[in-house]
Amino acid sequence: MGAPASPPDPYLFGHSDSETRRLQLQAAILDASTSRMMATAGLAPGMRVLDVGSGAGDVALLAAQIVGPTGRVVGLERNPELASLAQARATAAGASTVRFECADIAAWSTADVFDALVGRCVLFFLADPAAVLRDLLRAVRPGGTVAFQEPGNAALPPAVSTRCPTLERMWSWILEVYRRKGMDLHMGLRLHRVFLDAGLPAPTMHLDAAVGGGPQWPGFAYMAELVRTLLPLITQLGVATEGDVDIDTLADRLRREVGETGDAATTWSFISAWSAHAS
Ligand SMILES: C[S@@+](CC[C@H](N)C(=O)[O-])C[C@H]1O[C@@H](n2cnc3c(N)ncnc32)[C@H](O)[C@@H]1O
């Protein structure tokens, strides 16, 4: 499958309260794998890190833990409310080495030099991720680390041990919105080519998905919250009706359906890629 025919919207997920909630649920289920990726990629104490598409600030805050008190982290986020929220969260957490700037990463430049460039679920939303990455590399020192984690989407759907019709329907609504909006369903796998096209060496790659079950697992609420974020598009595009989705009961229905199996479920997958900036 090739790249999508039409460029994606500026930010398909919009800027609602439910999207902010979703980002923090995403952090709860994904932060461990993001930290692992950054540490394996070479982030270390004392480094200066640039986090692009910071959202509510979770990746920048994780990077700050790795680089410690002698390191520095700058987060770039286009949505001013999220950039302010991220800064407020950093201040509340006493993370004085982290600062956020409201900026469009497709049109940003700096005289500063960073040891590492990181991002999570952000290249997916760009019309030309390789071009943006190539420009951002100007701010990374030779030998610096580049690490991104992006949605796997079509690479691996949410998995369960037996048929769960609600989970299957939910996934079909999400994929159909992505398709209809020209999103790249293979962004995670495409990271390999995006790195090469940006002038980076072939990346090391890894696939992760959160796995869990039972009443306390936040994965069901996380998946339902993405549907809530996309609900206006789901109904406008005629993918499903509000009645089909029944958003306020969706997380509980998923939890109950998977709970009846006694087994766990996975969320959709995320693919990480990292390599060192050669020049
Ligand atoms: C799915 S969220 C991920 C947020 C964060 N990286 C995380 O994983 O929690 C993507 C974020 O990228 C931001 N974004 C998208 N395109 C951007 C651009 N061109 N410049 C800056 N931020 C952008 C969006 O506003 C959104 O907050």
Side-chain angles (χ1 to χ4, degrees):
M1 186 181 177
S6 56
D9 286 352
Y11 186 51
L12 184 78
F13 293 175
H15 299 301
S16 58
D17 287 349
S18 82
E19 172 57 6
T20 303
R21 236 182 353 262
R22 187 190 73 81
L23 288 178
Q24 293 183 36
L25 281 163
Q26 177 164 279
I29 63 162
L30 201 55
D31 276 1
S33 80
T34 307
S35 277
R36 257 194 321 271
M37 170 190 75
M38 291 194 290
T40 309
L43 263 69
M47 282 188 169
R48 298 151 298 175
V49 181
L50 180 63
D51 168 43
V52 291
S54 294
D58 293 282
V59 175
L61 290 168
L62 289 175
Q65 286 172 18
I66 298 175
V67 301
T70 57
R72 293 283 174 275
V73 182
V74 174
L76 302 180
E77 167 55 49
R78 187 173 48 191
N79 172 1
E81 283 169 30
L82 277 179
S84 300
L85 172 67
Q87 191 62 63
R89 291 179 73 211
T91 304
S96 58
T97 56
V98 187
R99 81 179 163 77
F100 292 92
E101 270 180 44
C102 184
D104 182 345
I105 60 170
W108 180 83
S109 63
T110 182
D112 293 341
V113 178
F114 294 86
D115 302 298
L117 167 66
V118 300
R120 181 171 76 187
C121 301
V122 60
L123 299 178
F124 181 50
F125 299 99
L126 303 179
D128 189 347
V132 174
L133 184 54
R134 199 179 310 116
D135 285 347
L136 288 169
L137 289 177
R138 294 197 193 117
V140 181
R141 70 164 168 81
T145 298
V146 180
F148 281 85
Q149 189 173 35
E150 295 292 327
N153 285 330
L156 185 70
V160 274
S161 58
T162 185
R163 289 208 56 198
C164 284
T166 308
L167 191 75
E168 287 169 20
R169 266 202 309 276
M170 176 206 72
W171 187 232
S172 74
W173 300 328
I174 293 170
L175 282 191
E176 189 54 21
V177 169
Y178 288 169
R179 271 193 206 101
R180 304 270 287 272
K181 298 304 282 184
M183 303 300 281
D184 187 349
L185 295 185
H186 291 287
M187 183 63 235
L189 295 173
R190 193 109 46 215
L191 279 170
H192 192 265
R193 199 174 79 195
V194 166
F195 270 49
L196 294 178
D197 287 352
L200 287 162
T204 305
M205 299 183 75
H206 200 272
L207 181 142
D208 291 281
V211 189
Q216 308 305 329
W217 188 52
F220 299 117
Y222 164 63
M223 293 194 279
E225 216 57 36
L226 177 57
V227 176
R228 193 188 295 277
T229 286
L230 292 177
L231 191 54
L233 284 172
I234 289 173
T235 55
Q236 275 161 33
L237 294 170
V239 170
T241 65
E242 288 207 13
D244 294 331
V245 175
D246 194 6
I247 189 63
D248 290 329
T249 66
L250 182 59
D252 276 342
R253 283 183 288 136
L254 291 170
R255 197 175 289 116
R256 211 170 36 242
E257 216 174 63
V258 175
E260 279 164 12
T261 71
D263 293 339
T266 76
T267 62
W268 41 81
S269 63
F270 297 88
I271 296 183
S272 305
W274 61 93
S275 68
H277 178 30
S279 56

